[in-house]
Amino acid sequence: MSTIYVHIGFEKTGSTAIQDFLDNNRDVLYHGHNLVHLDCLSNNDHIKLIGLINPANSEKIYQRLKLNSAQQRQNFKDAFSMKLQKQISNAISSNKNIVISSEHLSSYLNSEIEIETFSELLTIFKKPIKVIAYIRR
């Protein structure tokens, strides 16, 4: 049974190193460890996940993604949501575990509604979800 691992990566705890490792070892993790790091979240594209959820302070995210109009933002959300769901579905149908890593999950999702919105993106797959966080002293 597939499990979805969510690394919420508090900033300055090595999240970029974890994401780089996941990106650089995608094939080894897939074939040798039954783990999928989603293509749509690689190469620092994990910021797009926050743009999809639309937190109250998303203006910085939209500027970074060069999404200036409401139509561009909606088109982005529709396309990225479809891509994310397809990649998760493909991993689950292959009985693979999934890892999602973004330090922005801990810094941009601050309200209960934002956290619920993110949760809804994953609970539709009816798979166990485990949250991983690193804390630095």
Side-chain angles (χ1 to χ4, degrees):
M1 172 185 265
S2 298
T3 299
I4 300 172
Y5 295 94
V6 179
H7 169 241
I8 62 171
F10 295 101
E11 294 177 359
K12 304 301 178 198
T13 60
S15 298
T16 301
I18 291 168
Q19 292 154 2
D20 288 346
F21 177 85
L22 293 168
D23 284 343
N24 294 332
N25 294 284
R26 182 177 313 279
D27 290 338
V28 171
L29 294 170
Y30 184 88
H31 296 291
H33 299 280
N34 204 36
L35 186 68
V36 172
H37 180 237
L38 304 176
D39 288 338
C40 65
L41 300 176
S42 63
N43 301 318
N44 291 318
D45 281 347
H46 51 92
I47 192 75
K48 292 179 179 178
L49 190 58
I50 305 306
L52 180 62
I53 297 166
N54 193 22
N57 55 0
S58 62
E59 192 59 36
K60 281 194 302 189
I61 303 298
Y62 290 138
Q63 288 174 0
R64 188 170 166 183
L65 295 172
K66 296 180 174 61
L67 301 171
N68 300 316
S69 71
Q71 186 62 50
Q72 287 175 317
R73 293 171 184 183
Q74 190 58 53
N75 290 346
F76 158 77
K77 287 180 181 183
D78 293 344
F80 187 74
S81 177
M82 188 178 305
K83 187 175 186 178
L84 181 67
Q85 289 179 9
K86 181 179 179 184
Q87 288 185 11
I88 291 173
S89 293
N90 288 345
I92 289 171
S93 68
S94 298
N95 204 30
K96 300 288 184 184
N97 295 311
I98 300 154
V99 63
I100 296 170
S101 176
S102 177
E103 66 271 18
H104 304 299
L105 292 170
S106 65
S107 60
Y108 279 92
L109 303 186
N110 299 310
S111 72
E112 191 173 325
I113 189 90
E114 292 165 351
I115 294 167
E116 286 176 6
T117 301
F118 176 65
S119 176
E120 289 169 5
L121 286 173
L122 303 179
T123 56
I124 61 171
F125 296 101
K126 297 181 177 22
K127 297 296 176 187
I129 300 169
K130 296 187 179 189
V131 177
I132 302 166
Y134 292 101
I135 299 172
R136 185 180 214 166
R137 286 185 158 186

